[in-house]
Amino acid sequence: MCGLLSLLLPLENLATDVPQLGKDSVQRIVKSMTLEEKASLLVGLSMEDYGGEGSVAGHTLRYIPGSAGTTAPMPRYGIPPTVMADGPAGLRIDPVRKGDSLTYYCTAFPVGTMLASTWNTKLIEQVGSAIGNEVLEYGCDVILGPGMNIHRNPLCGRNFEYYSEDPLLSGKCGAAMVRGIQSQGVGASIKHFAANNQEGLRLQNDAHVSQRALREIYLRGFEIAVREGKPWTVMSSYNRLNGSYTQENRELLTTVLRDEWGYKGIVVTDWIGRRNTVAQVHAGNDLMMPGEPSQSEEIIRAVREGRLDEKEVDICVERMLKYIMRTPRFRRYTPSNRPDFTKNATIARQAAAEGIVLLSNRQKTLPLPPESRIALFGVHGYDYIGCGTGAGYVYAPYMTELNRSFTEAGFRLDSIVDNLYAQYRSFGEILYAEQNRKLVLGNRIYTPENSLTPEFIEARAATNDIAVISFGRLSGEGNDRPTLDFYLSDDERTLLERVCTIFHAAGRKVVVILNIGGVIETDSWHALPDAILVGWQGGQEGGCATVDVLSGKVSPSGRLPMTFPKDYTDHPSSQNYPLNYRSYRGDWADNTPERKFRNLGYTDYEEDIWVGYRYFNTWASDRIVFPFGFGLSYTTFEWSNAALKLSRDECLVTLQVTNSGTYPAKEVIELFVAAPGSTLPKPVRELKAFAKTRMLEPGESTMIRLCFRVNDLASFDPASASFVTDAGTYTIELASSANEIRLKLPLKIPATRRRVHNVLNPQQPICVPDFQRENVGSFRPVGGF
Ligand code: BGC
């Protein structure tokens, strides 16, 4: 008999004096529980154990196929099991069930990176609430998202799930997503806490990070999401941090998360078999997932042997009970299994359209004239990538393809090119080959790209108005992207060069769409096409959202949430980013002996706080192709009447924004702050607030408010374990990107100092990177616009 059903049996003998969850106090229930019962509540149930249907004290039990796991029910106390399912871009459950004629598809929303590109927290909250509603209506209690790790390096295989290289943008997006999800009465789980910035060796890797980089970069986004979103759950990551597993790290899970940030919910482990369960409980990790019965036994034994204080178990149990009481399962909610897909698809499409970033648009190539004749090249024009793989993948009912979306929008698609690609419709195989490009086919994928001769392209240029080329990239959980993935393949480059040369010779334009989940190299080719659009991975509506922007139905308002550098090696973290498993097989160009074993099993975050634009704009501004925060529009905006008000520690900046062009559009305002000379080295500018306008018609104006706290300007000083702000005149920079400051305002502030715990110290010195070492003693940033 399965574990769950055996747990149900005592139901018949329910003693009336046993306290019941919801009726009696949580403390009373904890007091009544045996050590065995307490220990079993902290350990999740494996899928095999959770197979039954039935009811516990009136709470319906339903196994949700494809969900990630459940918490243990305890009928004696009226405690139902609760169901947790992935993942950030929509609910991930199995779409079909054995012996069931109903289907359980979920809406695939744009991936996290694309949501961050909207810079629209209200919209992200709407997406969150749509996702939350699907979680509720499909009978789940918690969704395991949003993913909030920092884009430390462009090759992280899960960057698409995460928001940005900047902690403020990540934190605000995460908080909005959590608020949206939880507005539906289900829980969110911000993950993976913390410093889980790579997939390579993710289960063992030890992130060696300075206290300053942790406080300012890697923890900051989580802190914002905790304080402003109040998630029900936080997921502790797989990796180690400065020597100990995050799941066993009391300084992280209790001192920082709870004592400093005031977190009240539960901490759940990322899905690992057993680790040191006793250390996990001691650290404040309340729920071990997916759970093994032996873990409860370990807890019991440790308490009996005096290695674990039962009070620590009680604290976790109390938090578990409070969590369970919030769930729909506990409230006896009856799921409809019928979320409002039409409404949710509309939200997904709007979010995708707002997340698209226009990188270049020479001679107003876009929007495309109506009914243009289009030659659509590239397999991803016919096989749109809606999201990455792994926990972040959503089983969507459909995917809107670019080719069909063009036709539906009234464009005339070249049927010869279309038919050519139709011959290669086994795209599953193409994707597979593409992912394993180097391994399987030696940098050549057997796709139409290889067989498009100059003659063929010339004929297409003669009969079409424009060429659109779609390049895609797919990555996912478990592997980082190979370095080659950062660059166009030989085939892609040949296609791009041929199409540009031939179409331009015929007086036709070329547009490139990047259907990608992370940064790729653009420096060597961005001048070739007439327009480039980063379409990201827009979920099931991504194809039509891309066409919405290309057609001008929507003016682009997305902004890059990360820097696009000239080369991969421009990222300081490329010096110490572990190569993924493929490299160990010796089949990479960059697999030199020096690199091969460097940082194996650990990663020195040598670049410290110099992540993303903080590095590029301060030290290497000549290595930027498209800066953080960059994105074009079809219209123009005037910014005027900027004003600043400081009351106590809150700073309010107001700005008038007017649409001075000819298209209705939204505008993004980025507020950076530049510090005066300071004791600690500081980036030339750091994002402290941002806002997006509502849709402005041509000629229309609106007032924008941007708020931040003086405390937010502080840097972390490890010498005193404090956040310190030096007195002086700071410059508020109202900007359109980290490279384009449009207005400046002075802000004079006194010195501040806020002490925190001196915790999470690295166990060994972390090297200072060359760029910083050369400037030690005379802090002279070389960059800055
Ligand atoms: C992933 C998590 C996910 C969990 C449950 C893990 O492998 O890292 O992001 O939520 O599995 O599916």
Side-chain angles (χ1 to χ4, degrees):
M1 181 184 295
C2 76
L4 173 66
L5 292 184
S6 60
L7 279 163
L8 293 182
L9 287 180
L11 186 60
E12 312 299 322
N13 310 318
L14 207 80
T16 45
D17 58 344
V18 176
Q20 296 295 297
L21 191 64
K23 293 200 183 97
D24 298 286
S25 75
V26 162
Q27 291 74 14
R28 205 181 140 209
I29 296 176
V30 178
K31 242 189 185 156
S32 310
M33 281 179 159
T34 62
L35 178 58
E36 286 74 5
E37 286 171 330
K38 291 181 206 172
S40 70
L41 197 65
L42 305 190
V43 179
L45 286 179
S46 71
M47 288 303 152
E48 296 76 48
D49 275 347
Y50 189 79
E53 299 237 351
S55 82
V56 170
H59 302 288
T60 310
L61 306 182
R62 204 175 289 108
Y63 170 59
I64 311 288
S67 60
T70 61
T71 59
M74 214 153 283
R76 213 164 106 78
Y77 303 98
I79 299 172
T82 64
V83 177
M84 299 181 161
D86 280 308
L91 179 65
R92 177 188 164 90
I93 55 174
D94 289 349
V96 287
R97 296 178 187 172
K98 229 174 159 186
D100 188 341
S101 58
L102 289 181
T103 56
Y104 300 83
Y105 289 99
C106 301
T107 308
F109 292 87
V111 296
T113 300
M114 188 169 202
L115 291 179
S117 298
T118 68
W119 295 65
N120 185 343
T121 50
K122 274 197 196 121
L123 182 59
I124 295 173
E125 204 167 323
Q126 251 181 295
V127 170
S129 120
I131 292 178
N133 190 256
E134 295 195 9
V135 174
L136 179 75
E137 295 304 345
Y138 274 137
C140 300
D141 298 285
V142 167
I143 180 157
L144 302 170
M148 297 203 51
N149 296 102
I150 290 289
H151 293 180
R152 170 175 180 253
N153 181 285
L155 298 186
C156 173
R158 290 183 89 170
N159 272 356
F160 71 94
E161 293 185 59
Y162 307 146
Y163 294 119
S164 169
E165 67 186 20
D166 179 80
L168 178 90
L169 183 57
S170 300
K172 294 285 179 185
C173 292
M177 178 56 88
V178 170
R179 285 195 300 268
I181 290 170
Q182 296 189 170
S183 69
Q184 299 299 309
V186 297
S189 188
I190 58 173
K191 69 186 186 185
H192 310 87
F193 189 59
N196 185 174
N197 304 98
Q198 67 195 54
E199 287 303 284
L201 295 176
R202 64 177 177 158
L203 300 185
Q204 299 87 18
N205 196 60
D206 189 5
H208 297 167
V209 197
S210 76
Q211 282 178 304
R212 181 172 179 198
L214 276 174
R215 293 288 188 165
E216 291 183 26
I217 310 287
Y218 297 103
L219 298 183
R220 181 75 184 120
F222 284 101
E223 178 179 4
I224 295 170
V226 164
R227 290 187 193 274
E228 298 179 15
K230 301 195 173 20
W232 292 8
T233 90
V234 169
M235 186 188 291
S236 53
S237 53
Y238 282 134
N239 56 287
R240 288 179 288 174
L241 172 58
N242 289 336
S244 73
Y245 284 110
T246 60
Q247 307 180 344
E248 301 171 5
N249 192 329
R250 190 173 167 86
E251 291 185 345
L252 182 71
L253 303 186
T254 297
T255 313
V256 172
L257 179 65
R258 292 185 161 109
D259 300 345
E260 289 186 12
W261 302 350
Y263 178 62
K264 298 274 183 275
I266 58 165
V267 174
V268 44
T269 62
D270 197 349
W271 266 235
I272 184 87
R274 62 213 290 280
R275 280 237 165 102
N276 185 336
T277 316
V278 176
Q280 288 169 320
V281 173
H282 173 66
N285 204 124
D286 310 283
L287 178 61
M288 277 24 93
M289 289 305 259
E292 268 185 28
S294 63
Q295 290 177 284
S296 313
E297 284 152 29
E298 261 182 68
I299 297 173
I300 296 164
R301 214 176 316 122
V303 171
R304 298 225 163 106
E305 291 170 5
R307 286 180 289 113
L308 180 66
D309 190 339
E310 191 164 351
K311 283 201 196 96
E312 291 187 328
V313 178
D314 290 354
I315 291 172
C316 295
V317 172
E318 238 184 66
R319 286 195 290 243
M320 281 297 293
L321 294 178
K322 286 180 183 160
Y323 147 73
I324 292 165
M325 283 172 70
R326 305 169 95 172
T327 58
R329 183 71 85 271
F330 183 77
R331 298 195 308 271
R332 298 188 170 86
Y333 184 79
T334 310
S336 67
N337 284 322
R338 283 291 154 266
D340 189 342
F341 291 123
T342 314
K343 183 174 149 208
N344 293 352
T346 308
I347 296 170
R349 183 167 177 169
Q350 193 195 339
E354 272 205 30
I356 289 169
V357 183
L358 182 62
L359 291 185
S360 68
N361 191 17
R362 270 184 278 283
Q363 295 161 339
K364 297 195 175 153
T365 301
L366 299 176
L368 297 173
E371 297 174 32
S372 299
R373 292 169 303 168
I374 297 173
L376 177 61
F377 297 100
V379 283
H380 299 296
Y382 304 83
D383 183 27
Y384 183 78
I385 304 175
C387 59
T389 57
Y393 183 83
V394 179
Y395 296 102
Y398 56 84
M399 206 43 79
T400 58
E401 301 296 347
L402 274 174
N403 58 336
R404 284 203 301 273
S405 304
F406 272 124
T407 312
E408 280 161 21
F411 293 103
R412 288 172 291 159
L413 216 57
D414 185 315
S415 58
I416 294 180
V417 186
D418 196 352
N419 285 338
L420 181 82
Y421 278 94
Q423 294 166 24
Y424 296 83
R425 281 281 151 83
S426 179
F427 285 126
E429 278 166 39
I430 290 173
L431 279 179
Y432 179 78
E434 214 175 306
Q435 265 190 297
N436 296 282
R437 189 177 292 147
K438 243 332 220 177
L439 293 180
V440 183
L441 295 167
N443 204 24
R444 284 192 79 78
I445 319 158
Y446 192 57
T447 65
E449 264 81 329
N450 304 346
S451 54
L452 298 178
T453 60
E455 296 69 35
F456 178 86
I457 298 171
E458 267 161 31
R460 298 344 311 145
T463 52
N464 285 285
D465 301 312
I466 194 147
V468 174
I469 310 176
S470 179
F471 292 134
R473 287 291 179 277
L474 181 68
S475 71
E477 187 182 347
N479 285 306
D480 291 316
R481 295 164 59 199
T483 315
L484 284 174
D485 201 62
F486 188 76
Y487 303 95
L488 290 190
S489 67
D490 296 346
D491 296 333
E492 288 169 329
R493 196 173 291 275
T494 306
L495 175 71
L496 176 67
E497 285 169 359
R498 273 192 193 157
V499 170
C500 286
T501 310
I502 295 170
F503 270 68
H504 286 162
R508 315 283 196 217
K509 291 186 173 164
V510 180
V511 176
V512 168
I513 296 166
L514 299 178
N515 182 192
I516 55 180
V519 182
I520 65 164
E521 185 271 333
T522 50
D523 187 47
S524 65
W525 59 266
H526 73 91
L528 296 180
D530 304 275
I532 306 171
L533 212 66
V534 187
W536 298 123
Q537 295 170 344
Q540 68 185 46
E541 302 297 324
C544 36
T546 307
V547 173
D548 286 345
V549 170
L550 290 168
S551 68
K553 187 172 162 196
V554 176
S555 179
S557 63
R559 304 285 186 265
L560 293 178
M562 79 294 273
T563 312
F564 271 49
K566 286 196 173 159
D567 202 351
Y568 169 64
T569 51
D570 291 331
H571 263 278
S573 62
S574 66
Q575 295 302 308
N576 53 40
Y577 199 72
L579 306 177
N580 79 17
Y581 75 94
R582 287 181 201 172
S583 60
Y584 307 140
R585 297 166 45 145
D587 45 13
W588 275 17
D590 60 0
N591 189 22
T592 57
E594 307 85 69
R595 290 210 58 192
K596 193 169 173 186
F597 297 112
R598 183 128 191 258
N599 285 356
L600 195 59
Y602 66 90
T603 307
D604 282 337
Y605 285 39
E606 288 172 6
E607 73 288 351
D608 203 45
I609 59 156
W610 307 103
V611 178
Y613 71 90
R614 284 171 168 75
Y615 167 74
F616 284 105
N617 284 73
T618 307
W619 304 104
S621 53
D622 60 331
R623 302 307 297 167
I624 301 170
V625 186
F626 297 107
F628 173 78
F630 177 79
L632 301 172
S633 170
Y634 294 154
T635 193
T636 49
F637 291 96
E638 258 174 40
W639 295 8
S640 55
N641 297 332
L644 185 152
K645 214 164 95 191
L646 183 65
S647 54
R648 289 167 173 260
D649 74 333
E650 194 158 284
C651 187
L652 170 68
V653 174
T654 48
L655 174 75
Q656 184 173 337
V657 177
T658 307
N659 183 345
S660 50
T662 48
Y663 286 88
K666 297 183 180 181
E667 171 72 315
V668 174
I669 300 93
E670 300 157 31
L671 187 156
F672 293 91
V673 175
S678 58
T679 27
L680 292 167
K682 285 214 182 216
V684 287
R685 62 181 54 91
E686 290 182 280
L687 187 74
K688 295 298 167 190
F690 61 90
K692 191 166 201 174
T693 65
R694 60 181 162 79
M695 181 69 77
L696 294 177
E697 294 297 322
E700 205 185 345
S701 292
T702 189
M703 282 308 281
I704 283 295
R705 292 162 59 89
L706 300 123
C707 288
F708 63 93
R709 302 243 288 255
V710 170
N711 259 334
D712 298 342
L713 307 186
S715 298
F716 185 79
D717 181 9
S720 59
S722 323
F723 281 95
V724 293
T725 324
D726 291 317
T729 303
Y730 289 66
T731 309
I732 310 285
E733 302 176 331
L734 298 175
S736 290
S737 81
N739 279 9
E740 195 189 342
I741 313 304
R742 295 182 59 172
L743 293 170
K744 291 185 181 182
L745 297 166
L747 169 68
K748 202 167 172 209
I749 53 165
T752 65
R753 178 175 295 269
R754 185 169 60 88
R755 274 195 88 85
V756 292
H757 295 90
N758 184 6
V759 290
L760 302 172
N761 269 295
Q763 302 301 298
Q764 60 281 304
I766 301 168
C767 284
V768 176
D770 291 345
F771 66 84
Q772 208 182 341
R773 197 178 303 132
E774 282 158 15
N775 288 270
V776 155
S778 56
F779 177 64
R780 274 179 287 107
V782 294
F785 280 74

